Amino acid sequence: MYCTTLLLLLQQFTRVMSWIKQQFNWLSSLYKKLSSKETFLFLTFVLIAALFWVLLTFNNNMTHDITINVTVKKPKNVTLINDVPSSITVTMKDRGLSFLKSFFKSTPSIEIDFNKYNNEKNKAFEISSYQLISEVRRALKNNEATIIKVLPESIVSKYTTLPGKKVPVNWEDNIKNIIPDKQFVINPDMITTDPDSVIIYALDQATLFKINEVNISTVEVANLTSTFTKEVAMKSINNVRIIPDKVKLTVPVEPLIRKDYNASISVRNQPQGVKILIFPPSVDVSFLVPQSHYREAVNLTVIVDYNDIDQNRNKVNIKLGEVSGNYTNVTLPTDSVGYLIERY
């Protein structure tokens, strides 16, 4: 038996070695062909032809887009109300070699002097299409290139020199569509924004005086089972700059936990000269409470109303009184209890 197995293994080994030898012979033959003088010359001429094609192609004019970063150098007391684009796109025609060089360079940038384009009459920072192209040409330092277009075509932004006003961020009206999953709840007392206030700038003092808070944009999300955090944009206000224009909204979501509480039954509207005895004098109330409130004192009452007593019945209805805690699904174990009336 062992001899037969050994013989089979030797046969398999011989086949594998034969296959490896065949592959080696094929690779060796290919190497000899490629290393021959004729093949080497052929490949050399192909490479030279490819280089000439690349040089001729890139020496022709080509149309391409480049991105240029934009910054505005302005006085410290000036606040631009409208956003100035952080970059512009320039479509230009130039030799392909120039384009190839620019591809390997870092993104060019221009710094625009605010005072040069300050329209004091309109309280606006204005750059026309022609002026923007001039700024681009000066930044690129390439007189041979033809600038076809610049996007955006012009830049206009109102500005103010009035100091800013600090106002709180209001989120309450914009999170109605944040919905937790079943058996989970949002804790409204722990909802926060970071920062909780922003600075607003306006064109006139009257606008600043009217605004006492700013709102976040509407947020929509459902079936939450854990704390929700999102960067949210501020709701824009016409001719007002908000800094920062985004805040981090955090909405704590926590599970609801069942809690049992033994509540004493109190009597309401009891007339003078009458005493109502309730039995049992208390009942176990069950409800769901957010996890973070589980260990807090329960603020919940169960009552009997004297006006509900029907003396033809030996029981009286019970109901919930004040429920000021953060409770849901409050359940009473029974709808009525026994009673006795004592007069004195």
Side-chain angles (χ1 to χ4, degrees), residues 42-67:
F42 172 75
L43 293 176
T44 301
F45 280 115
V46 169
L47 181 60
I48 292 172
L51 288 173
F52 272 114
W53 178 83
V54 170
L55 289 172
L56 288 171
T57 300
F58 279 95
N59 199 43
N60 294 328
N61 284 336
M62 299 177 63
T63 300
H64 59 275
D65 294 339
I66 64 169
T67 300

Side-chain angles (χ1 to χ4, degrees), residues 81-82 114 117-126 156-160 203 239:
I81 299 298
N82 311 110
F114 171 86
Y117 302 103
N118 176 16
N119 186 333
E120 293 186 17
K121 182 180 178 181
N122 296 332
K123 283 286 185 179
F125 172 66
E126 300 175 343
V156 178
S157 175
K158 293 282 188 178
Y159 71 86
T160 181
L203 298 176
N239 289 328

Side-chain angles (χ1 to χ4, degrees), residues 34-307:
L34 290 176
S35 61
S36 66
K37 185 177 180 179
E38 292 80 4
T39 305
F40 177 77
L41 287 174
F42 172 75
L43 293 176
T44 301
F45 280 115
V46 169
L47 181 60
I48 292 172
L51 288 173
F52 272 114
W53 178 83
V54 170
L55 289 172
L56 288 171
T57 300
F58 279 95
N59 199 43
N60 294 328
N61 284 336
M62 299 177 63
T63 300
H64 59 275
D65 294 339
I66 64 169
T67 300
I68 299 179
N69 295 328
V70 176
T71 57
V72 178
K73 185 181 179 182
K74 60 182 181 60
K76 290 183 178 179
N77 67 328
V78 170
T79 302
L80 297 173
I81 299 298
N82 311 110
D83 283 328
V84 172
S86 59
S87 65
I88 58 177
T89 302
V90 180
T91 301
M92 55 194 304
K93 182 182 287 186
D94 198 2
R95 288 189 307 133
L97 288 174
S98 298
F99 167 65
L100 190 61
K101 290 177 183 178
S102 65
F103 181 79
F104 293 101
K105 291 182 179 178
S106 58
T107 304
S109 61
I110 55 174
E111 184 180 71
I112 302 175
D113 186 359
F114 171 86
N115 293 322
K116 187 176 178 181
Y117 302 103
N118 176 16
N119 186 333
E120 293 186 17
K121 182 180 178 181
N122 296 332
K123 283 286 185 179
F125 172 66
E126 300 175 343
I127 307 178
S128 67
S129 177
Y130 172 77
Q131 292 167 333
L132 193 55
I133 289 174
S134 297
E135 291 285 350
V136 169
R137 194 179 299 281
R138 185 165 54 252
L140 294 178
K141 299 177 182 178
N142 185 354
N143 296 325
E144 296 180 5
T146 301
I147 298 175
I148 298 174
K149 65 179 179 179
V150 177
L151 291 176
E153 295 181 351
S154 60
I155 297 175
V156 178
S157 175
K158 293 282 188 178
Y159 71 86
T160 181
T161 56
L162 294 173
K165 175 183 175 181
K166 189 175 184 179
V167 294
V169 174
N170 177 36
W171 48 261
E172 294 183 7
D173 297 331
N174 300 85
I175 64 164
K176 295 175 182 177
N177 294 322
I178 298 181
I179 304 170
D181 203 356
K182 294 178 181 179
Q183 297 296 314
F184 287 84
V185 69
I186 292 173
N187 190 336
D189 298 331
M190 297 179 67
I191 297 176
T192 61
T193 62
D194 184 22
D196 60 1
S197 57
V198 294
I199 307 295
I200 61 170
Y201 297 87
L203 298 176
D204 56 84
Q205 198 69 50
T207 302
L208 279 177
F209 181 77
K210 284 192 303 182
I211 301 173
N212 295 314
E213 64 179 17
V214 290
N215 295 306
I216 64 170
S217 300
T218 301
V219 181
E220 296 183 7
V221 65
N223 302 323
L224 290 175
T225 59
S226 61
T227 296
F228 172 75
T229 302
K230 184 180 181 181
E231 188 176 60
V232 183
M234 308 303 301
K235 264 192 174 178
S236 61
I237 305 173
N238 192 34
N239 289 328
V240 172
R241 181 71 184 267
I242 303 173
I243 300 177
D245 59 358
K246 292 180 181 179
V247 296
K248 186 173 81 170
L249 173 70
T250 301
V251 181
V253 177
E254 54 185 313
L256 290 168
I257 299 177
R258 177 190 167 102
K259 186 172 183 176
D260 295 318
Y261 173 68
N262 186 259
S264 298
I265 303 174
S266 58
V267 180
R268 301 282 173 90
N269 301 316
Q270 186 173 245
Q272 291 185 352
V274 174
K275 184 178 181 181
I276 307 299
L277 300 177
I278 301 297
F279 54 90
S282 64
V283 291
D284 290 327
V285 183
S286 64
F287 49 87
L288 296 175
V289 61
Q291 187 176 31
S292 61
H293 293 261
Y294 185 81
R295 298 188 180 280
E296 294 179 0
V298 176
N299 194 356
L300 178 151
T301 60
V302 178
I303 64 169
V304 164
D305 192 327
Y306 178 82
N307 296 323

